[in-house]
């Protein structure tokens, strides 16, 4: 009998054993529960999407139909909304804690960390009940239940020695066992994933989002391959099924519960974020006193106004028309506020990125962390996507305020006392947020991606080692 036939025979025998132990019933029950949770989340998300669109229509209509003067309109403000993506059905990530709207208002800005988690481990301690929860937390237990005794039970029954006498190799046994275990695991995840992917297509998700979903599926296929290999490896090294089960459960507790908690606590301690009040104090002090050698508010204002004296045929600041002077001061003050805010916001963003980079490196120690990082990233629900939305909304806000202030200056120069601003407001460009491309996820998390290749290689080398040492 050829080596391949022996391997396939082992796989067939092992898979038949799974079936005899109620594999089909477990698959049906698991799929039913997972799709039930997914459907419930879908209904909630669809309702939230309708409310989000309705709120956006009301706010946009109110903003474009107003006839306030530009300064009043800037203080009245508006809201920018982040579109709801059905990708979050796969992994809700930080969406549970972060805001999906941005308040546009003169001299005031929401901050990217004003709604931050009290600590980064919060969403790991209390994961949201979604597809990723089942795949990350529950599916490893199913794999352990299927495979913990795959090799150890054969050793207990003396079957390994029988195979050795018959000329079969330990490698053929392991290969067959792995094929059967991984096939059974795929049967648990393929049916619900096919339905979910069809749901994303039905909802008209953009092509890039479907590509993200495809990457997400491949990610978990690799994750389950690593877990299946790890469970089988522990079973092969164990002298009894009981010791194999105990070792597998211990590894699950370490990788899924303890190490992620310690890693996120360490990230929060090594790279702490400033408090919201400290950040606001820095913004106010930076604006009043200036950054570096920029000078205080008064000196900056006078310098800016003097540069525009010739433009308005004025010999001194006092000779400038009051409304022109007011509008010019608004423009320079807003521009400098933007500069100060960008300076300190970059520090906060860098801290977030340091925390995320630290977690990516922890994925080398624990593949669960790497999967968690990449799962949220491909679903567009991680910290970096929150920052991306915030930055694009901030850019839109700054451009809008600049237009309003320049419009105020234009009216002041014209000398008009009554102006109909409806046409101006109705022609302001709309805010439209686009997610970064799927490729940006891999560029932002190269260490997490490489760590999965690293763990796959470690498993292959480990199996190679025990096969060479003939663990019959």
């Amino acid at each position: 009998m050829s080596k391949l036939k022996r391997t396939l025979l082992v796989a067939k025998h092992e898979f038949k054993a799974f079936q005899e132990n109620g594999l089909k019933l477990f698959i049906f029950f698991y799929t039913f529960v997972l799709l039930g949770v997914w459907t419930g989340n879908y209904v909630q998300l669809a309702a939230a999407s309708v409310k989000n669109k309705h709120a956006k229509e009301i706010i946009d209509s109110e903003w474009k139909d107003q006839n306030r003067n530009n300064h009043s309109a800037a203080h009245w403000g508006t809201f920018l909304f982040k579109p709801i993506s059905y990708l979050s059905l796969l992994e809700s990530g930080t969406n549970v804690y972060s805001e999906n709207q941005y308040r546009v208002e003169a001299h005031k800005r929401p901050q990217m960390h004003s709604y931050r988690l009290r600590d980064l481990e919060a969403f790991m301690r209390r994961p949201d009940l979604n597809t990723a929860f089942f795949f990350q937390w529950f599916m490893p237990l199913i794999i352990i239940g299927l495979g913990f005794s795959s090799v150890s039970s054969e050793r207990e029954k003396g079957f390994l020695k029988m195979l050795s006498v018959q000329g079969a190799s330990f490698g053929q046994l392991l290969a067959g066992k792995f094929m059967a275990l991984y096939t059974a695991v795929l049967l648990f995840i393929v049916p619900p994933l096919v339905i979910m992917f069809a749901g994303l297509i039905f909802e008209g998700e953009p092509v890039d989002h479907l590509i993200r979903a495809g990457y997400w599926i491949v990610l978990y296929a690799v994750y389950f391959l690593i877990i299946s290999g790890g469970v089988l490896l522990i079973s092969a090294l164990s002298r009894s099924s009981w010791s194999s089960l105990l070792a597998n459960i211990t590894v699950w507790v370490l990788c899924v519960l303890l190490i992620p908690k310690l890693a996120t606590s360490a990230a929060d301690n090594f790279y702490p974020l400033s408090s919201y009040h400290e950040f606001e104090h820095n913004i106010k002090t930076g604006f009043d006193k200036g950054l570096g050698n920029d000078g205080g508010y008064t000196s900056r204002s006078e310098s800016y106004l003097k540069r525009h004296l010739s433009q308005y045929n004025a010999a001194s600041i006092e000779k400038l028309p009051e409304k022109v002077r007011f509008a010019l001061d608004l423009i320079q003050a807003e521009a400098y506020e933007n500069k100060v805010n960008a300076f300190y916001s970059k520090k906060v963003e860098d801290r977030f990125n340091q925390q995320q980079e630290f977690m990516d490196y922890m994925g080398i120690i624990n593949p669960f962390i790497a999967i968690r990082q990449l799962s949220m990233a491909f679903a567009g629900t991680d910290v970096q996507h929150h920052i991306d939305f915030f930055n694009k909304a901030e850019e839109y806000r700054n451009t809008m305020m600049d237009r309003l202030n320049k419009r105020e200056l234009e009216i002041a120069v014209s000398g008009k006392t009554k102006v109909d601003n409806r046409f101006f407001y109705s022609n302001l460009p709309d805010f439209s947020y686009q997610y970064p491309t799927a490729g940006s996820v891999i560029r932002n998390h190269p260490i997490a991606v490489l760590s999965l290749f690293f763990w796959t290689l470690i498993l292959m080398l480990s199996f190679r080692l025990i096969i060479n040492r003939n663990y019959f």
Side-chain angles (χ1 to χ4, degrees):
M1 185 181 293
S2 66
K3 294 181 179 180
L4 178 60
K5 285 185 177 180
R6 286 197 184 99
T7 300
L8 293 176
L9 186 62
V10 171
K12 183 178 179 181
H13 177 270
E14 184 74 2
F15 193 78
K16 185 178 180 181
F18 289 153
Q19 290 179 309
E20 291 174 351
N21 290 324
L23 178 65
K24 292 181 180 178
L25 181 62
F26 283 117
I27 291 174
F28 173 79
F29 179 74
Y30 179 85
T31 303
F32 179 77
V33 172
L34 184 57
L35 289 178
V37 170
W38 192 82
T39 302
N41 290 341
Y42 169 80
V43 171
Q44 291 181 357
L45 198 66
S49 179
V50 171
K51 290 180 180 178
N52 195 60
K53 290 178 181 177
H54 183 61
K56 184 179 184 303
E57 290 173 359
I58 292 175
I59 293 294
D60 287 350
S61 175
E62 185 181 70
W63 174 256
K64 290 181 178 296
D65 291 342
Q66 68 176 317
N67 193 29
R68 299 179 181 88
N69 66 62
N70 302 113
H71 187 63
S72 297
H75 280 279
W76 178 262
T78 186
F79 284 89
L80 308 179
F81 293 90
K82 182 181 181 180
I84 290 178
S85 169
Y86 285 89
L87 281 176
S88 60
L89 290 171
L90 302 178
E91 168 72 89
S92 56
T94 60
N95 277 7
V96 179
Y97 306 94
S98 59
E99 296 294 305
N100 68 338
Q101 75 268 345
Y102 180 98
R103 178 80 163 99
V104 175
E105 187 179 1
H107 312 305
K108 295 181 181 179
R109 295 171 175 81
Q111 302 305 329
M112 68 178 75
H113 65 313
S114 58
Y115 298 99
R116 65 177 287 261
L117 308 180
R118 284 183 171 82
D119 53 68
L120 287 178
E121 63 191 86
F123 59 85
M124 285 198 173
R125 291 201 309 267
R126 298 183 297 276
D128 194 32
L129 193 61
N130 54 32
T131 310
F133 169 78
F134 281 86
F135 282 5
Q136 292 170 13
W137 296 60
F138 191 57
M139 196 64 203
L141 293 175
I142 292 180
I143 298 174
I144 291 173
L146 288 172
F148 79 93
S149 63
S150 288
V151 183
S152 57
S153 63
E154 307 289 9
R155 177 177 285 111
E156 289 176 315
K157 293 183 292 189
F159 186 66
L160 296 185
K161 291 182 179 179
M162 186 188 305
L163 282 177
S164 178
V165 171
Q166 293 176 351
S169 70
F170 192 58
Q172 292 165 14
L173 176 72
L174 287 180
K177 296 279 189 179
F178 177 80
M179 288 172 61
L181 179 60
Y182 194 55
T183 300
V185 170
L186 292 180
L187 289 177
F188 273 93
I189 67 171
V190 169
L193 283 179
V194 170
I195 297 173
M196 292 174 190
F197 196 81
L200 294 177
I201 296 175
F202 175 77
E203 285 298 332
E205 288 290 295
V207 174
D208 187 69
H209 287 201
L210 297 179
I211 295 174
R212 282 171 171 267
Y215 278 129
W216 195 87
I217 292 170
V218 172
L219 175 69
Y220 280 98
V222 174
Y223 179 50
F224 297 140
L225 183 145
I226 293 173
I227 296 175
S228 300
V231 169
L232 199 63
L233 181 64
I234 292 175
S235 182
L237 295 174
S238 300
R239 292 299 172 185
S240 68
S241 296
W242 170 251
S243 62
S244 173
L245 177 61
L246 190 62
N248 274 294
I249 293 297
T250 301
V251 171
W252 181 85
V253 171
L254 286 172
C255 291
V256 177
L257 299 178
L258 296 183
I259 295 178
K261 176 180 173 61
L262 293 174
T264 48
S265 295
D268 221 19
N269 290 328
F270 291 155
Y271 308 105
L273 295 173
S274 60
S275 69
Y276 180 68
H277 297 293
E278 180 185 350
F279 181 87
E280 287 295 304
H281 174 74
N282 290 336
I283 293 289
K284 186 177 185 305
T285 303
F287 178 75
D288 292 340
K289 298 182 178 180
L291 300 174
N293 298 320
D294 290 346
Y297 171 77
T298 302
S299 62
R300 295 196 311 269
S301 178
E302 290 178 353
S303 176
Y304 184 83
L305 292 175
K306 286 177 181 178
R307 291 200 302 269
H308 290 81
L309 291 178
S310 59
Q311 182 178 348
Y312 298 102
N313 301 317
S316 64
I317 295 176
E318 291 73 18
K319 297 295 183 181
L320 282 171
E322 183 180 351
K323 290 185 177 180
V324 172
R325 186 167 68 246
F326 175 72
L328 286 171
D329 200 43
L330 282 178
I331 292 173
Q332 73 82 22
E334 185 67 35
Y336 201 78
E337 276 185 351
N338 294 344
K339 178 180 177 180
V340 173
N341 190 75
F343 178 80
Y344 287 105
S345 291
K346 184 64 167 61
K347 292 180 179 291
V348 175
E349 184 177 336
D350 288 343
R351 282 292 185 176
F352 273 124
N353 290 332
Q354 286 174 327
Q355 290 176 344
Q356 294 306 303
E357 186 177 6
F358 178 85
M359 294 301 293
D360 283 352
Y361 275 104
M362 289 301 296
I364 299 175
I365 300 174
N366 180 6
F368 173 84
I369 296 177
I371 290 294
R372 182 68 168 160
Q373 292 288 97
L374 291 171
S375 178
M376 290 189 293
F378 282 125
T381 59
D382 64 343
V383 172
Q384 288 172 329
H385 281 77
H386 172 63
I387 293 174
D388 182 71
F389 167 71
F390 176 88
N391 287 339
K392 289 176 179 176
E394 179 78 2
E395 182 180 349
Y396 180 89
R397 175 227 176 259
N398 295 344
T399 302
M400 177 185 285
M401 290 300 155
D402 184 59
R403 290 187 181 210
L404 291 173
N405 290 334
K406 287 181 176 178
R407 170 72 171 173
E408 188 77 12
L409 177 62
E410 179 186 327
I411 295 173
V413 172
S414 70
K416 296 178 180 179
T417 56
K418 290 186 178 181
V419 179
D420 190 341
N421 282 318
R422 286 191 179 88
F423 180 79
F424 171 76
Y425 294 127
S426 62
N427 282 277
L428 286 173
D430 291 327
F431 174 74
S432 178
Y433 176 71
Q434 300 293 328
Y435 281 79
T437 61
S440 66
V441 173
I442 299 175
R443 291 193 297 271
N444 290 335
H445 298 276
I447 302 301
V449 174
L450 290 175
S451 69
L452 297 181
F453 285 105
F454 168 76
W455 276 100
T456 305
L457 180 62
I458 288 294
L459 278 175
M460 293 172 62
L461 293 176
S462 298
F463 277 116
R464 183 71 177 174
L465 178 63
I466 65 172
I467 289 171
N468 289 340
R469 294 185 64 177
N470 196 11
Y471 263 67
F472 272 117

